Amino acid sequence: AFFQGETIDEGPNVAPGLFGEVRRRIASGEWTLAAFVDGVVVTHAGLSTAFTELFAQVGGDAERLVESLNQKWRSSLQRIAEGSIWGSPDDLTGPSGPLWWRPSDPAGPLRGVTQVAGHTPREILRAPGAVAALEREGLYLIDPFTRGWVYDGMPDPAPCRFAVIEDG
């Protein structure tokens, strides 16, 4: 949505100059799609099994997976800027990608990788045992849908979780 100049829900309008600045920072490698920290892959929404083939192509090496994702992300900026945000299921900006993927997707998280994701859709929190099941598969969620907390009329402060990554 950001790269197409749109806001999500009631979000504020984005200053036009900000788009160029964000593109510049991504293209330079200053801002990345994914990070690799102490053996853990960190993305916004997590990696689904749609990335199994890419993981195999990099020899099952999570650090190389992150490098590949970031390279693909930088090279896709032009396509995104041209308005093609939804693509194939394994597309970085598509519904199975690390920006939009929903952990409630039956395909599940990418196996063989420990992950931390900050995008936690409301439906995950409402399903009994869903968060624990994802953690057993190596996906740890750190944002329990704080925007949804406000929409549901819950009292402040919204619940927050943090990830401390140490020794894997």
Side-chain angles (χ1 to χ4, degrees):
F2 178 85
F3 284 103
Q4 292 179 325
E6 300 170 9
T7 58
I8 297 174
D9 299 333
E10 74 295 331
N13 291 329
V14 179
L18 187 58
F19 294 104
E21 179 63 14
V22 170
R23 285 188 187 102
R24 182 193 68 73
R25 289 181 181 215
I26 291 170
S28 73
E30 182 179 353
W31 287 356
T32 60
L33 177 74
F36 184 76
V37 181
D38 200 14
V40 178
V41 174
V42 182
T43 63
H44 174 67
L47 296 172
S48 71
T49 55
F51 291 89
T52 301
E53 184 177 329
L54 180 60
F55 190 42
Q57 288 172 5
V58 297
D61 183 318
E63 187 169 17
R64 287 182 55 211
L65 173 66
V66 166
E67 290 169 6
S68 181
L69 288 168
N70 287 328
Q71 181 181 20
K72 288 176 179 289
W73 172 237
R74 287 188 296 273
S75 68
S76 68
L77 282 179
Q78 185 59 41
R79 185 181 49 75
I80 294 168
E82 292 168 356
S84 175
I85 193 162
W86 298 109
S88 64
D90 64 345
D91 185 36
L92 296 179
T93 59
S96 293
L99 295 174
W100 291 102
W101 180 60
R102 298 295 198 255
S104 55
D105 179 339
L110 180 63
R111 286 158 186 81
V113 176
T114 301
Q115 302 184 65
V116 168
H119 174 91
T120 310
R122 172 188 323 220
E123 65 268 16
I124 283 294
L125 301 176
R126 290 191 173 149
V131 172
L134 290 170
E135 289 178 355
R136 284 191 299 274
E137 293 189 56
L139 176 62
Y140 297 86
L141 306 172
I142 60 168
D143 172 16
F145 200 80
T146 54
R147 285 179 63 242
W149 189 260
V150 173
Y151 291 149
D152 287 343
M154 304 302 274
D156 283 336
C160 291
R161 293 173 63 182
F162 299 89
V164 176
I165 302 170
E166 181 176 80
D167 299 326

